[in-house]
């Protein structure tokens, strides 16, 4: 418990300021503007005071005060706060006029005629010439009041900077007080009961004040501020008011200097445990709810209802004593130590988490950032703790009714960071407040002083500024970013360290946000522990990829173990044949060197090598779980933008034990294929990246990918094609930093998280852009030993690392100087770098050869159809005569003329045909050539979901004004008409071209954008391209395309980056509105690039149904500035997002159709958090597998059998069935079987459930594999519902928790049959309970004792139920015993 003397209290000056700034907020429906507007009211004077003054003014001196407030005539309510000016003396003894010269400022969103300003004149009187013995008494009295409608519909206000001499307005003063407004009806001007004082008025001017907007966040809305009133955060720079000695701070306001502050390690300490505090809180809330009912109803309410804590939130904001100057940030608190048990309803989107809470502290496991924090001693950080409680409402006819949710404000406190000098490294401990006291936002808080167990001890945190963080980074002696316990390269390694059983059940939701540091020594965990074996049983190894859970902290360790390093793995060498530099993974991960140091890199081409060397099985001591169950493996992953990789199968070596009795790593060896290499072990995959053959700027993107991402590797069982688990390899260690070649060795934890059965998945995006799931159990499935390398090569030419990432400014080609004649084909295929002005016309025969041939063949065919046999015989005779004449001698002149005429006839006919063809196409070809002369071609290489900016400059070539219309038929390309959006893209790319706003209008008929250009005027048109189509990749394909082993070669090149992506041409036509003639054409060639995948989801769902999922993400990005949005590339998938407030979780809803088994649907989901949804923060890939669903109902501990039908295909198949849990679900036959063409086969499935799920179901999987081609043939989803068994006997047994050896107990049992019987014994906890004999052979009515042996080492469980099942020889249950075991 913190010392009370070390705790700081709220600053009293700030608290006093807070108490003096009470305000009344306007009704929410009163706001008529989307943003607040600032105004200035300059009060000049008050006239005719004598008409309102008292009769005793001759004997009293008076001073006058002006009071202002706002009144809503619709809701009959004063809003804001009453403004009181200082007291003014009258100008003369006549007391007829008071010169105010008072500027007053306010800002509001209620620009409505129903908002009126109420002015009241108050007089302070005291005797003129008091006697010495008289006591001076001051009296205040109201002289009158008046009102003015600030925003009449017909009044347009000017700004202070434009028109300072605006028309003067007046407020006629009325006798009485403003309380009359509560009793008056609209219109106020027509009310005759209001008596005006003759000639008494207040004169003023009302103007807009745009310069007030930058500082309006420091001021309360609907509250008046005088020019001399200073608010914290406002700089002391004033302008003198003409004619007075006063200064105005708001005429030209400026903000104080600001800094960026960080709140870290926020902790709330309770006087007692959290559980006691929350229990008492729930009890008090229930009592308060029950007090609202009568006595009988209150008693029934307490008996039937209970409350539980849903959320614990901390609200942190920056407050200047007047208002919150920034939107407060909300974060979720977690107990320092808690165990999660997740329960979900089967209905969509419902469910809750239950926590087994221990400890006395609530902690915030993230850092809060406050940008633009004013450096002012009166600006404070305000902390508010509030709980969200849920009370289920029970009804008479239903078990559950509606749930009531209550938000309970617990406590608050504040702290002024810049009030006094302090050491920011020291933690700040604050006293917290509650009850009905003055607090920010005027909220009522929980009374903390009722009881000791309801008290909060302190709130502590660390506060750092950005300057201090930079100073800490520069200081080598202090480091807060990385772990200091980094082992050295000379650390000694033991052979059993990597194979030692270091796999723990990571079910705790505690988040570990530190950078993953490799440990040189393994954690001491006995893999043969019975607890571990029981944890491994609880999860079914479904074919789902494991989620990267927040509680999973993978270990990255080097593997220079003699057993591994002595094996014959391929050596990684550089381009000159020298061995690669072996890099320590610890130093690489802890380094803060960015990839921009490689600006002058010579070896710009990269070759990435991944070597899979060995695999370590998790060890089991139980005989039901042999460690050699996996015989072969294959791996799937996607590196950068390369196509997804599915490796070939590799076999695992035999299981061997070292001298310590632990399992050695099992080496991976290729199964004999065409590229089989008997001299080397392991599996190798290479990627070659050459920047000279891809788009500009891709190298920088590649280096950033290596620096900020991790490679996710799915490990699959090569025999049954089921997922073993997933490993994550940070790629930051592959940055070469100028070295020719490097290599790193590491051991990766292969883990598995099953999220397929959850309707609502909670997740969070962490620093390395990965998705971490919250509250889901994660199991370790082994360890993958691998080696990665990065080899540098020389490219074809030296390029800049950054490349040309800025989009170039495209000038429209409307001069027609680039058109050099020729045919259309010569223009299309012309190389612009080798243009010549010499044009060679093509021959008619070559240009129209196809037309001539077609015409000749068609005419000949038609002629042959009309000739009969007689005519054919005559033609043959004529041909024979001519041949005889030619043999007899040279042809006569007549014969030569006939032959010449016969030769010319077909040529003339063909020429006429060509002329007709050319005449028909001449107009179209000329038009096309003219359009090509004004066409500008540009190529872009967009990434899926990423917006590209294209700036196109066009000039008006005419001598008159022209209105130009922009038309484009492609929906992915649009013209940017918003100047702010254009500025957003220019800031992103660093462009300096000018921005022109408000130049676009829209055609009333077509809706196309258009703009006006003066003669010879130029304008830049900004276009935005953003495509979501991914061609064939979003269609359903065979399962074998994605996660079946492949025999493809080990090397992938960069030329195949966009092999399957979309390519298309888009034309943008700029036409004149007067005659619709085209002025310029932009031809955009689009070559889409594959995206970088941040997360891959695989869901298994019943075939021909719809999958509905909800993914809840914790808030990320800049709160208040982001626009959360999702897009999908598949038009058949429905997805939308929801985030009502910046601090609410972001919910993504997905509804996708599932095809028939074994088809799989793949689609991409892009998530945006920027203002204009231009650059995705996450790209997710989804695999939706269709599976045949089979439902089975089981009794706990008993066997249920069901048949599964398998249909044959068009050919004979050799099939074999595999179970995801062979010890819970058995399949007969186990051996391969042949199913003939179009035939059917039936397999028998026996399910013996080992877990009681209550109303929840358990998913098991069956894979039917084609053994001949080793492909997945069909998959089945077995949905198991388990019921509790009928208990015949129940025993309560206590065992000492200090038990070090086996504890023996006996239970008597009698054979109930009159014949010889064989009984089999089994238990629900085979790790905890062993039988002396597993089989009982009993004669008729024979009685015997069942020997029970309880194993030591389970005292941590305290209480555990153990079932004992007695089954007959057919597996049918005879009796079930329940032993309630307690460790005392």
């Amino acid at each position: 418990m913190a010392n009370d003397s070390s705790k700081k209290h709220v600053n009293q000056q700030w608290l006093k300021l807070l108490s003096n700034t009470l305000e009344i907020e306007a009704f929410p429906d009163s706001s008529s503007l989307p943003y607040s507007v600032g105004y200035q009211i300059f009060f000049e004077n008050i006239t005719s005071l004598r008409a309102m003054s008292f009769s005793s003014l001759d004997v009293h001196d008076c001073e006058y005060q002006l009071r202002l407030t706002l009144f809503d005539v619709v809701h009959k309510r004063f809003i804001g706060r009453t403004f009181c000016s200082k007291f003014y003396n009258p100008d003369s003894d006549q007391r007829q006029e008071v010169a105010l010269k008072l500027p007053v400022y306010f800002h509001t969103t209620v620009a409505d005629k129903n908002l009126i300003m109420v002015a009241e004149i108050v007089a302070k009187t005291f005797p003129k010439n008091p006697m010495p013995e008289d006591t001076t008494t001051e009296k205040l009295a109201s002289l009158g009041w008046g009102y003015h409608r600030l925003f009449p519909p017909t009044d347009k206000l000017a700004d202070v900077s434009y028109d300072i001499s605006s028309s003067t307005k007046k407020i006629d003063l009325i006798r009485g007080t403003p309380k009359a407004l509560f009793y008056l009806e609209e219109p106020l001007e027509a009310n005759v009961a209001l008596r005006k004082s003759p000639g008494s008025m207040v004169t003023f001017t009302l103007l807009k004040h745009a310069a007030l907007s930058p500082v309006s966040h420091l001021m309360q809305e609907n509250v008046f501020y005088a020019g001399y009133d200073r608010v914290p955060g406002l700089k002391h720079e004033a302008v003198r008011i003409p004619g007075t000695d006063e200064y105005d701070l708001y005429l030209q306001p400026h903000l104080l200097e600001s800094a960026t502050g960080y709140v870290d390690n926020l902790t709330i300490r309770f006087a007692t445990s959290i559980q006691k505090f929350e229990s008492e809180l729930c009890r008090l809330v229930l009592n308060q709810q029950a007090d609202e009912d009568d006595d009988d109803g209150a008693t029934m309410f307490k008996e039937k209802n209970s409350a539980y804590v849903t959320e614990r939130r901390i609200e942190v904001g920056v407050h200047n004593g007047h208002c919150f100057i920034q939107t407060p940030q909300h974060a979720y608190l977690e107990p320092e130590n808690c165990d999660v048990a997740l329960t979900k309803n089967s209905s969509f989107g419902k469910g809750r988490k239950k926590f087994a809470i221990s400890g006395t502290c609530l902690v915030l496991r993230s850092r809060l950032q406050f940008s633009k924090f004013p450096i002012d001693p009166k600006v404070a950080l305000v902390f508010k703790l509030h709980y969200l409680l849920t009370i289920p409402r029970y009804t008479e006819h239903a078990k559950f009714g509606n749930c009531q949710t209550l938000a309970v404000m617990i406590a608050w406190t504040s702290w002024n960071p810049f009030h006094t000098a302090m050491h920011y490294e020291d933690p700040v401990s604050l006293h917290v407040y509650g009850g009905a006291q003055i607090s920010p936002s005027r909220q009522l808080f929980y009374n903390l002083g009722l009881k000791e167990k309801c008290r909060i001890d302190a709130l502590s945190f660390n506060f750092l500024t950005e300057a201090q963080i930079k100073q800490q980074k520069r200081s080598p002696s202090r480091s807060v970013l990385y772990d200091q316990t980094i082992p050295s390269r000379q650390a000694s390694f033991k052979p059993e360290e990597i194979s030692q059983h270091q796999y723990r059940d990571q079910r705790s939701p505690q988040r570990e946000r530190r950078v993953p540091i490799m440990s040189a020594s393994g954690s001491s965990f006995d893999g043969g522990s019975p607890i571990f074996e029981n944890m491994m049983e609880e999860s079914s190894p479904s074919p789902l990829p494991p989620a990267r859970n927040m509680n999973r902290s993978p270990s990255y360790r080097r593997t220079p173990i003699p057993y591994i390093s002595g094996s014959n793995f391929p050596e990684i060498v550089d381009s000159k044949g020298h061995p690669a530099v072996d890099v320590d993974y610890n130093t690489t991960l802890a380094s803060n060197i960015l990839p921009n140091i490689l600006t002058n890199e010579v070896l710009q081409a990269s070759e990435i090598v991944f070597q899979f060397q060995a695999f370590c099985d998790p060890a089991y001591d139980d005989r039901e779980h042999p460690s050699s169950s996996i015989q072969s493996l294959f791996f799937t992953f996607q590196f950068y933008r390369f196509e997804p990789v599915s490796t070939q199968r590799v076999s695992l070596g035999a299981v061997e034990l070292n001298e310590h009795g632990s399992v050695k790593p099992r080496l991976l060896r290729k199964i004999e294929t065409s590229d089989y290499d008997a001299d080397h072990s392991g599996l190798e995959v290479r990627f070659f990246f050459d920047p000279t053959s891809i788009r500009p700027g891709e190298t920088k993107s590649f280096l950033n990918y290596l620096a900020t991402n991790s490679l996710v590797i799915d490990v699959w069982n090569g025999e049954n094609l089921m997922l073993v688990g997933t490993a994550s390899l940070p790629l930051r260690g592959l940055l070469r930093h100028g070295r020719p070649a490097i290599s790193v060795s590491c051991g990766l934890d292969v883990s598995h998280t099953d999220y397929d059965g959850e309707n609502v998945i909670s997740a969070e995006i962490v620093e390395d852009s990965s998705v971490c799931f919250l509250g889901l159990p994660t199991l370790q499935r082994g360890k993958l030993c691998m080696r990665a390398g990065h080899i540098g090569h020389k490219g074809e030419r030296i390029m800049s690392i950054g490349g040309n990432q800025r989009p170039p400014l495209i000038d429209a080609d409307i001069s027609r100087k680039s058109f050099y004649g020729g045919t259309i084909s010569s223009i299309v295929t012309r190389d612009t770098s080798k243009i010549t002005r010499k044009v060679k016309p093509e021959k008619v025969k070559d240009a129209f050869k196809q037309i001539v041939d077609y015409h000749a063949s068609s005419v000949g065919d038609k002629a042959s159809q009309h000739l009969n046999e007689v005519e054919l015989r005559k033609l043959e005779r004529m041909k024979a005569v001519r041949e005889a004449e030619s043999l007899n001698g040279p042809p006569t002149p007549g014969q030569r003329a006939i032959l010449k005429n016969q030769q010319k006839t077909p040529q003339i006919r063909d020429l006429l045909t060509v002329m007709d063809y050319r005449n028909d196409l001449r107009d179209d070809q000329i038009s096309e050539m003219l359009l090509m002369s004004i066409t500008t071609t540009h190529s872009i290489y967009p990434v899926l979901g990423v917006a590209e900016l294209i700036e196109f400059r066009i000039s008006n070539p005419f001598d008159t004004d022209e209105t130009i219309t922009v038309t484009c038929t492609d929906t992915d390309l649009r013209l940017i008409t918003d100047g702010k959006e254009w500025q957003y893209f220019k800031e992103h790319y660093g462009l300096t071209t000018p921005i022109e706003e408000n130049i676009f209008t829209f055609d009333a008929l077509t809706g196309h954008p258009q703009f006006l250009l003066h003669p010879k005027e130029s304008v830049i048109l900004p276009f935005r391209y953003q495509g979501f189509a991914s061609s064939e990749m979003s269609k359903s394909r065979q399962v074998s395309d994605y996660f079946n082993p492949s025999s493809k070669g080990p090397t992938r090149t960069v030329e195949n980056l966009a092999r399957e992506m979309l390519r298309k041409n888009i034309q943008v036509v700029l036409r004149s509105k007067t005659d619709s003639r085209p002025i310029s054409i932009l031809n955009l060639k689009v070559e889409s690039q594959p995206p970088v995948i941040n997360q891959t989801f695989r869901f298994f769902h019943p075939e021909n149904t719809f999958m509905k999922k909800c993914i809840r993400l914790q808030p990320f990005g800049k709160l208040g500035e982001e626009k959360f949005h999702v897009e999908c590339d598949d038009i058949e998938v429905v997805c939308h997002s929801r985030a009502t407030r910046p601090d609410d979780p972001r919910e993504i809803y997905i509804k996708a159709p599932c095809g028939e088994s074994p088809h799989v649907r793949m689609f991409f989901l892009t998530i945006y958090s920027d203002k204009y949804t231009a650059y995705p923060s996450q790209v997710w890939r989804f695999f939706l597998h269709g599976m045949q669903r089979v439902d089975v109902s089981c009794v706990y501990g008993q066997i249920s059998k069901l048949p599964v039908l398998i249909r044959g295909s068009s050919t004979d198949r050799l099939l074999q069935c595999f179970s995801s849990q062979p010890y819970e679900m058995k399949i007969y036959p186990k051996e391969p079987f042949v199913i003939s063409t179009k035939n059917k086969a039936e397999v028998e499935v026996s399910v013996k459930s080992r877990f009681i799920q209550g109303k929840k179901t358990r998913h098991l999987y069956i894979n039917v594999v084609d053994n001949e081609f080793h492909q997945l043939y069909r998959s089945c989803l077995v949905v198991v519902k388990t019921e509790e068994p009928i208990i015949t006997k129940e025993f309560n047994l206590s065992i000492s928790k200090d038990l070090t050896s086996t504890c023996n107990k006996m239970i008597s049992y009698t054979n109930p049959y009159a014949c010889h019987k064989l009984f089999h014994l089994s238990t629900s906890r085979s790790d905890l309970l062993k039988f002396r004999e597993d089989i009982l052979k009993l004669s008729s009515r024979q009685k015997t004792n069942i020997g029970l042996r309880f194993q030591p080492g389970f005292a941590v469980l305290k209480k555990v139920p153990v079932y004992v099942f007695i089954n007959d020889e057919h597996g049918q249950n005879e009796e079930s015993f329940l032993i309630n075991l307690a460790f005392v």
Side-chain angles (χ1 to χ4, degrees), residues 552-718:
R552 180 176 63 84
S553 180
S555 62
Y556 308 99
R557 62 175 65 250
R558 299 183 64 212
T559 56
I561 302 174
Y563 183 74
I564 296 295
S565 59
S567 304
N568 53 346
F569 296 112
E571 188 178 5
I572 299 178
V573 297
D574 60 12
S575 57
K576 297 181 180 180
H578 300 152
V581 179
D582 191 12
V583 178
D584 189 355
Y585 225 103
N586 298 325
T587 308
T588 306
L589 291 179
S591 64
N592 197 25
I593 303 176
L594 297 178
N596 55 11
I597 66 172
L598 301 176
T599 306
N600 299 322
E601 175 67 41
V602 178
L603 305 177
Q604 294 186 352
S606 298
E607 185 179 4
I608 307 296
V609 183
F610 296 107
Q611 289 182 357
F612 302 92
Q613 298 179 341
F615 182 78
C616 294
D617 287 308
Y620 308 91
D621 275 353
D622 196 277
R623 62 188 176 190
E624 294 183 347
H625 297 273
S627 60
S628 59
S629 57
I630 301 177
Q631 301 300 328
S632 63
L633 295 173
F634 69 95
F635 310 94
T636 59
F637 59 93
Q638 182 172 6
F639 176 70
Y640 192 51
R641 304 189 197 277
F642 293 88
E643 59 183 348
V645 175
S646 179
T647 67
Q648 65 186 76
R649 287 194 303 153
V650 289
S651 63
L652 274 70
V655 178
E656 299 180 10
L657 302 179
N658 56 18
E659 61 274 11
H660 300 278
S662 57
V663 182
K664 290 183 179 180
R666 303 169 64 189
L667 295 182
L668 304 180
R669 295 187 182 274
K670 293 182 182 178
I671 300 176
E672 295 188 11
T673 56
S674 58
D675 59 343
Y676 175 72
D677 187 2
D679 297 334
H680 294 95
S681 302
L683 178 67
E684 189 176 84
V685 180
R686 293 175 176 264
F687 297 90
F688 191 76
F689 182 88
D690 189 357
T692 60
S693 58
I694 53 178
R695 65 169 183 165
E698 190 71 27
T699 303
K700 184 176 181 180
S701 176
F702 176 70
L703 294 177
N704 287 331
Y705 169 78
L706 294 180
T708 58
N709 286 268
S710 299
L711 180 67
V712 179
I713 304 170
D714 292 336
V715 183
W716 300 83
N717 191 319

Side-chain angles (χ1 to χ4, degrees), residues 467-526:
Q468 266 117 23
I469 293 179
K470 292 180 179 179
Q471 184 178 2
Q472 286 181 351
K473 289 183 178 180
R474 290 192 297 265
S475 176
S477 60
R478 300 193 57 176
S479 176
V480 298
L481 298 179
Y482 302 105
D483 199 342
Q484 297 295 326
T485 59
I486 299 177
S488 62
R489 292 177 57 92
Q490 289 78 19
S492 60
F493 292 86
K494 299 180 180 180
E496 68 273 8
E497 284 179 345
I498 191 169
S499 58
Q500 194 63 252
H501 315 302
Q502 304 158 19
Y503 318 110
R504 297 179 182 268
D505 180 47
Q506 301 177 5
R507 299 177 184 274
S508 173
Q510 296 180 7
R511 310 174 187 175
E512 300 181 6
R513 289 188 173 271
R514 64 175 185 265
V515 177
I517 300 298
M518 178 178 60
S519 175
S521 61
S523 58
S524 58
F525 182 84
D526 184 10

Side-chain angles (χ1 to χ4, degrees), residues 944 1091-1095 1164-1167 1176-1181:
L944 178 71
V1092 175
I1093 307 300
N1094 298 106
Q1095 179 69 23
F1164 292 97
L1165 197 70
T1166 51
I1167 302 176
S1177 57
Q1178 289 280 303
V1179 178
W1180 293 349
R1181 180 175 57 186

Side-chain angles (χ1 to χ4, degrees), residues 447-472:
N447 195 342
L448 300 176
L450 292 177
K451 298 180 181 179
E452 177 66 22
K453 61 182 178 180
C454 299
R455 190 167 60 85
I456 299 178
D457 187 37
L459 183 147
S460 61
F461 60 93
N462 289 88
F463 184 81
L464 295 172
T465 61
E466 191 172 8
Q468 266 117 23
I469 293 179
K470 292 180 179 179
Q471 184 178 2
Q472 286 181 351

Side-chain angles (χ1 to χ4, degrees), residues 202-217:
V202 179
T203 57
F204 66 95
T205 57
L206 175 62
L207 296 170
K208 286 185 177 180
H209 191 22
L212 198 65
S213 297
V215 299
S216 61
H217 64 283

Side-chain angles (χ1 to χ4, degrees), residues 1137-1285:
S1137 60
R1138 186 178 67 180
T1140 56
R1141 294 185 303 174
D1143 58 316
D1144 285 345
R1146 279 84 175 100
E1147 296 181 346
I1148 302 174
Y1149 295 92
I1150 303 172
K1151 180 180 179 181
C1154 186
E1156 295 183 357
S1157 177
H1159 285 76
V1160 63
R1161 174 183 293 274
M1162 188 185 75
F1163 56 91
F1164 292 97
L1165 197 70
T1166 51
I1167 302 176
Y1168 299 89
S1169 60
D1170 57 338
K1171 186 176 181 180
Y1172 294 100
T1173 64
Y1175 307 103
S1177 57
Q1178 289 280 303
V1179 178
W1180 293 349
R1181 180 175 57 186
F1182 287 80
F1183 291 100
L1184 181 55
H1185 299 255
M1187 305 187 73
Q1188 178 184 351
R1189 175 167 177 164
V1190 180
D1191 292 276
V1192 58
S1193 180
C1194 298
V1195 178
Y1196 186 43
Q1198 300 183 21
I1199 298 176
S1200 297
K1201 297 183 179 181
L1202 69 150
V1204 175
L1205 190 64
I1206 300 176
R1207 301 179 184 274
S1209 61
S1210 57
T1211 58
D1212 295 345
R1213 296 275 190 149
L1214 178 62
L1215 305 178
Q1216 187 175 2
C1217 298
F1218 296 92
S1219 170
S1220 61
Q1221 281 287 353
Y1223 309 107
E1224 187 174 353
M1225 181 174 62
K1226 299 182 182 295
I1227 304 174
Y1228 303 97
K1230 298 180 181 178
E1231 299 77 15
F1233 58 91
V1234 178
I1235 182 172
S1236 58
T1237 305
K1238 301 297 183 182
N1239 205 343
K1240 300 177 182 178
E1242 186 177 280
V1243 297
E1244 183 182 277
V1245 178
S1246 299
V1247 180
K1248 183 179 181 181
S1249 180
R1250 296 171 176 264
F1251 309 98
I1252 301 178
Q1253 295 90 18
K1255 292 186 177 181
K1256 294 189 66 176
T1257 57
R1258 178 173 168 83
H1259 291 178
L1260 304 178
Y1261 303 94
I1262 299 175
N1263 275 4
V1264 184
V1265 179
D1266 187 336
N1267 275 7
E1268 185 178 1
F1269 298 99
H1270 211 83
Q1271 295 178 351
L1272 185 62
Y1273 179 74
R1274 184 169 291 275
S1275 295
C1276 296
L1277 173 64
V1278 181
V1279 182
V1280 182
K1281 182 179 181 181
T1282 306
E1283 300 177 356
E1284 291 189 9

Side-chain angles (χ1 to χ4, degrees), residues 185-239:
E185 300 294 335
E186 283 276 70
L188 299 178
E189 293 78 5
N191 200 308
V192 296
L194 298 178
R195 294 184 302 164
K196 299 181 180 179
S197 297
S200 299
M201 66 183 69
V202 179
T203 57
F204 66 95
T205 57
L206 175 62
L207 296 170
K208 286 185 177 180
H209 191 22
L212 198 65
S213 297
V215 299
S216 61
H217 64 283
L218 303 175
M219 307 163 59
Q220 292 173 291
E221 187 179 354
N222 303 317
V223 174
F224 294 101
Y225 291 86
Y228 49 78
D229 292 334
R230 180 188 175 272
V231 295
L234 188 68
K235 186 179 290 188
H236 278 280
E237 292 183 0
V239 178

